[in-house]
Amino acid sequence: MDLAQTETRPESRRATQRENEILEELRRSGGSSRIQHLADRLKVSEETIRRNLKSLAREGLVRRVHGGAHLPDARSEASFQQRVDENPDAKQRIAIKVAEIIEDGDSLFLDIGSTTSYIAQALQHRRELFVVTNSVSVAHTLAARNGNRVFMAGGELRAHDGGAFGVEAIEFVRRFQVEYAVLSAAAINATSGFMLFDLQEAEFSREIMRRAKTSIVAADSSKFDHRAPISVDAPTLVDMLVTDSAPPEELSAALTSWSVDVVVADSAVAAL
C-alpha cells in the first residue's frame, strides 16, 4: 500500500450524514430493518438506501441481506427452543392467568410464540374450546382433548419452530371470527408498541387480531423497553397485555394512552 492509499483510507470510513441516519435507524429498530422501512423513515428512495447500504457494507458497518440490512453485532432472536426455556416461571404465571380469562367453550386464535406454548398447556383443563392455530405444538397439545375442536393452518411447516406461515395460512385464518386472539411479542416499548423479529409472524398476528373480538398479547417483562425490527400493528389494536410484572413508568403511560389493559399475573402460582 502506497502513502496516498494510506492517507485516503480514514476518509473512506467516515460515513455521510445519510449513512449515519441509516445506522441510527437500524439501532432504533433493534439492529435490523428492511430497505422499504428505511426509505420511508428517511424519506428517500429505496435505491438511495441501497447505495448507502452498499457503502456501509464495504466498511463493515452493516451486513446486507435480501431486502434489508442489519448491524454486525445486532441481537437476533434466539431459537424457538431457547425462547421456550427463557424465563419459564414468568411464562407459566402468564399462561395460568390467560387460562383464567379463557372459559370453557370459548373460541380463540393461538400463535407460534414460546409463551403461547405455555398457554396451550395451561388450557388443557378447559373444555370444548374452538382453537385456530398455526403451531403444531399448540395443535398437538389441545387436539383430541375435552371435546376441543382444533383447526390447523395449512402450508409448509418451518423446520425450526413447527409453524405454518405464508399465503395458505393467512387465507385459512380469514375463514374464522373468534372471541380471542392470543399472541406473543419479542419486544414492547413506548415508541413503537408491540414488535417482532419475524415478518411472517407479524403478518399472521395482524390477520388474527383483525378477526378476534379481543386481542391479548402475552409477554414477560424481559420484553419491556426493548426493540425488534417489525411492529406487529398499531398498538391501539391490542386490548390486553398479560405479563408478570408492572411495566416501567414510560411504557405504562403509553399503554394507557393506547387503551391497553395491563393484567399482571400472580407472583405465586402452581406449576403447570
Side-chain angles (χ1 to χ4, degrees):
M1 180 181 292
D2 60 25
L3 181 59
Q5 290 175 313
T6 303
E7 290 175 343
T8 58
R9 183 170 178 80
E11 178 65 28
S12 69
R13 290 204 300 267
R14 287 202 288 269
T16 66
Q17 179 179 349
R18 181 168 292 120
E19 288 168 354
N20 281 323
E21 290 173 348
I22 290 172
L23 292 172
E24 181 59 26
E25 188 59 40
L26 286 170
R27 295 185 189 101
R28 289 176 179 173
S29 298
S32 63
S33 184
R34 299 185 65 79
I35 288 173
Q36 181 181 0
H37 173 78
L38 291 169
D40 290 344
R41 291 285 295 176
L42 301 182
K43 295 180 172 52
V44 296
S45 69
E46 292 185 22
E47 184 57 36
T48 296
I49 295 296
R50 289 190 183 93
R51 286 198 302 269
N52 283 276
L53 288 176
K54 185 175 181 180
S55 176
L56 289 167
R58 283 198 301 267
E59 300 297 335
L61 297 175
V62 303
R63 292 179 181 171
R64 298 175 69 190
V65 295
H66 180 70
H70 63 85
L71 299 173
D73 60 348
R75 175 184 177 270
S76 59
E77 189 169 36
S79 72
F80 182 75
Q81 188 56 53
Q82 286 175 320
R83 287 184 282 141
V84 168
D85 293 338
E86 290 176 350
N87 305 319
D89 292 341
K91 290 177 180 177
Q92 285 186 352
R93 288 160 51 195
I94 292 167
I96 290 171
K97 178 58 69 175
V98 172
E100 291 175 357
I101 296 168
I102 306 297
E103 298 181 351
D104 292 346
D106 275 342
S107 59
L108 63 153
F109 289 119
L110 288 169
D111 74 0
I112 192 65
S114 60
T115 304
T116 312
S117 66
Y118 284 86
I119 292 169
Q121 294 176 47
L123 287 171
Q124 286 183 321
H125 72 285
R126 290 294 183 203
R127 304 187 63 83
E128 299 181 346
L129 296 175
F130 187 104
V131 179
V132 184
T133 187
N134 65 330
S135 165
V136 167
S137 173
V138 169
H140 181 265
T141 300
L142 293 176
R145 176 183 293 272
N146 297 340
N148 295 337
R149 300 180 67 191
V150 177
F151 299 83
M152 175 74 194
E156 182 179 2
L157 298 179
R158 300 197 305 197
H160 70 279
D161 60 9
F165 291 95
V167 175
E168 296 92 342
I170 295 297
E171 289 299 326
F172 181 79
V173 299
R174 284 176 178 163
R175 304 175 188 177
F176 300 93
Q177 295 286 336
V178 300
E179 293 291 328
Y180 298 99
V182 182
L183 52 150
S184 305
I188 308 172
N189 64 73
T191 303
S192 302
F194 304 91
M195 310 186 78
L196 288 167
F197 283 96
D198 189 285
L199 182 60
Q200 288 185 315
E201 291 183 27
E203 290 172 343
F204 189 85
S205 294
R206 290 172 195 142
E207 202 64 45
I208 65 176
M209 289 171 68
R210 284 168 165 75
R211 283 165 169 73
K213 290 182 180 178
T214 301
S215 295
I216 301 173
V217 171
D220 65 80
S221 55
S222 70
K223 310 300 193 300
F224 295 163
D225 291 337
H226 286 280
R227 302 190 68 86
I230 303 162
S231 293
V232 174
D233 212 323
T236 53
L237 295 180
V238 174
D239 297 294
M240 183 185 302
L241 168 64
V242 181
T243 187
D244 61 305
S245 65
E249 184 176 353
E250 183 180 10
L251 178 56
S252 180
L255 290 164
T256 299
S257 72
W258 300 327
S259 298
V260 177
D261 293 331
V262 178
V263 177
V264 178
D266 299 333
S267 58
V269 296
L272 294 177

